[in-house]
Amino acid sequence: MRFEGTAEYVSTDDLTVAVNAAVALERPLLVKGEPGTGKTELARQVARALGLPMIEWSIKSTTKAQQGLYEYDAMSRLRDSQLGEARVADVGNYIRRGKLWQAFAAEQKVVLLIDEVDKADIEFPNDLLQELDRMEFHVYETGETVQARHRPIVIITSNNEKELPDAFLRRCFFHYIRFPDPDTLKRIVEVHHPDIRSDLLTTALTQFYEIRETPGLKKKPSTSEVLDWLKLLLTEDLAPEDLRRDGASALPKLHGALLKNEQDVHLFERLAFMARRQGR
């Protein structure tokens, strides 16, 4: 069971090695990187390449680790008992399975994505240590122990918004997805836009990297954003010469796909103003 990338996903050599190492070690793969570099999509493509179902657990700031195991709906049981419902005799009727339980109970091996683990509070990863390590947990309300029928391939993503506990990191195989170099980004673009003209692609990517490397930029545009930008360029049927910027306008064409806050827009407006002054 080896991952080699897919026709829809360009996997670099080091990323391919990381995925296969995590599978071989039966350890969770912790993937970090800038937002928009394909961390979530990696899990979907691993599942597709290996022919496995995927279970996705998207983490929010309010998510608790217990929700990944199960939730006991005590209020519904109380209400049903007041109404004389017969189903209250079985507490299992009020247990809702979480994503980990679904992965453990699956008929075959699955890919379990725990997406954006760093959104939750700092104790969230530690609360999952034993369950991810032993692949089992106890249901106190019913007295049963749930064990994984098939050990899932666990992929955990993080946008690096907060530090993760050392005890959690020790149990993971770690990989940082670096922002792609121009050659790799060109391959990624050609997967999504196979008919794009080479001269337009070269001009657009040159301008894109110039934007990313602009000093003072608050949010650098990501891979997903350059793909959206190129889609707009193709939709508008723009030519390479349409992308040229002069001192009157330092903002790129259709800049709303690349610049996502007013500070960065103002930065390019100031650069245009300075260029005009120097040109006098």
Side-chain angles (χ1 to χ4, degrees), residues 132-196:
L132 291 177
D133 206 22
R134 298 183 181 180
M135 287 289 153
E136 67 176 33
F137 62 89
H138 188 70
V139 183
Y140 295 97
E141 289 77 6
T142 63
E144 67 178 309
T145 297
V146 176
Q147 295 180 318
R149 302 176 68 176
H150 305 278
R151 192 178 188 98
I153 296 173
V154 182
I155 297 178
I156 304 170
T157 73
S158 169
N159 287 328
N160 223 11
E161 293 181 2
K162 64 167 67 87
E163 290 295 323
L164 299 175
D166 289 345
F168 178 77
L169 295 175
R170 283 199 301 271
R171 288 166 169 81
C172 298
F173 190 93
F174 171 76
H175 181 75
Y176 183 86
I177 297 182
R178 296 179 178 86
F179 191 82
D181 58 45
D183 288 340
T184 303
L185 185 55
K186 185 176 180 180
R187 289 166 54 205
I188 292 171
V189 170
E190 288 171 343
V191 167
H192 293 269
H193 304 296
D195 298 326
I196 190 170

Side-chain angles (χ1 to χ4, degrees), residues 1-279:
M1 185 174 287
R2 290 187 59 81
F3 174 69
E4 301 292 347
T6 69
E8 296 83 21
Y9 190 90
V10 175
S11 178
T12 58
D13 291 341
D14 55 346
L15 178 57
T16 301
V17 168
V19 171
N20 290 319
V23 172
L25 292 172
E26 296 187 326
R27 294 276 190 180
L29 173 62
L30 174 61
V31 184
K32 289 187 178 183
E34 292 181 30
T37 49
K39 300 184 296 297
T40 302
E41 186 62 23
L42 171 65
R44 299 185 181 121
Q45 295 300 327
V46 168
R48 180 176 300 179
L50 302 181
L52 302 176
M54 194 183 88
I55 295 175
E56 184 171 346
W57 185 16
S58 298
I59 307 303
K60 301 178 181 178
S61 59
T62 56
T63 303
K64 302 299 181 184
Q66 180 64 32
Q67 294 172 299
L69 307 179
Y70 68 92
E71 292 183 275
Y72 170 50
D73 191 353
M75 293 302 296
S76 291
R77 192 181 187 200
L78 175 61
R79 183 180 63 251
D80 288 350
S81 67
Q82 293 172 339
L83 296 173
E85 297 282 352
R87 65 196 303 264
V88 299
D90 184 2
V91 68
N93 291 324
Y94 303 92
I95 301 291
R96 291 199 295 265
R97 295 184 178 188
K99 299 295 185 180
L100 263 71
W101 191 336
Q102 294 173 31
F104 288 4
E107 296 289 337
Q108 65 178 107
K109 181 184 285 288
V110 302
V111 173
L112 172 62
L113 169 62
I114 304 177
D115 201 23
E116 298 188 332
V117 68
D118 53 328
K119 279 189 174 180
D121 65 59
I122 192 63
E123 292 304 320
F124 178 87
N126 279 337
D127 291 342
L128 290 176
L129 285 179
Q130 179 172 314
E131 289 75 14
L132 291 177
D133 206 22
R134 298 183 181 180
M135 287 289 153
E136 67 176 33
F137 62 89
H138 188 70
V139 183
Y140 295 97
E141 289 77 6
T142 63
E144 67 178 309
T145 297
V146 176
Q147 295 180 318
R149 302 176 68 176
H150 305 278
R151 192 178 188 98
I153 296 173
V154 182
I155 297 178
I156 304 170
T157 73
S158 169
N159 287 328
N160 223 11
E161 293 181 2
K162 64 167 67 87
E163 290 295 323
L164 299 175
D166 289 345
F168 178 77
L169 295 175
R170 283 199 301 271
R171 288 166 169 81
C172 298
F173 190 93
F174 171 76
H175 181 75
Y176 183 86
I177 297 182
R178 296 179 178 86
F179 191 82
D181 58 45
D183 288 340
T184 303
L185 185 55
K186 185 176 180 180
R187 289 166 54 205
I188 292 171
V189 170
E190 288 171 343
V191 167
H192 293 269
H193 304 296
D195 298 326
I196 190 170
R197 289 168 46 189
S198 60
D199 56 346
L200 176 62
L201 178 56
T202 300
T203 302
L205 290 187
T206 299
Q207 188 172 122
F208 171 73
Y209 277 99
E210 289 174 353
I211 293 168
R212 267 188 63 89
E213 295 165 8
T214 301
L217 199 64
K218 182 177 181 181
K219 181 194 177 301
K220 294 182 178 182
S222 67
T223 308
S224 62
E225 287 160 343
V226 72
L227 292 174
D228 288 344
W229 184 53
L230 289 169
K231 183 177 180 180
L232 288 174
L233 298 183
L234 292 172
T235 300
E236 296 295 325
D237 196 23
L238 297 181
E241 51 270 20
D242 295 324
L243 302 185
R244 292 180 186 145
R245 295 177 291 173
D246 53 34
S249 177
L251 285 168
K253 293 285 187 182
L254 302 166
H255 64 270
L258 298 175
L259 306 177
K260 298 302 178 71
N261 59 70
E262 62 277 15
Q263 294 97 318
D264 289 342
V265 173
H266 291 159
L267 171 63
F268 279 90
E269 289 174 342
R270 288 197 302 272
L271 291 174
F273 175 74
M274 292 171 61
R276 289 196 298 271
R277 290 190 62 180
Q278 292 172 0

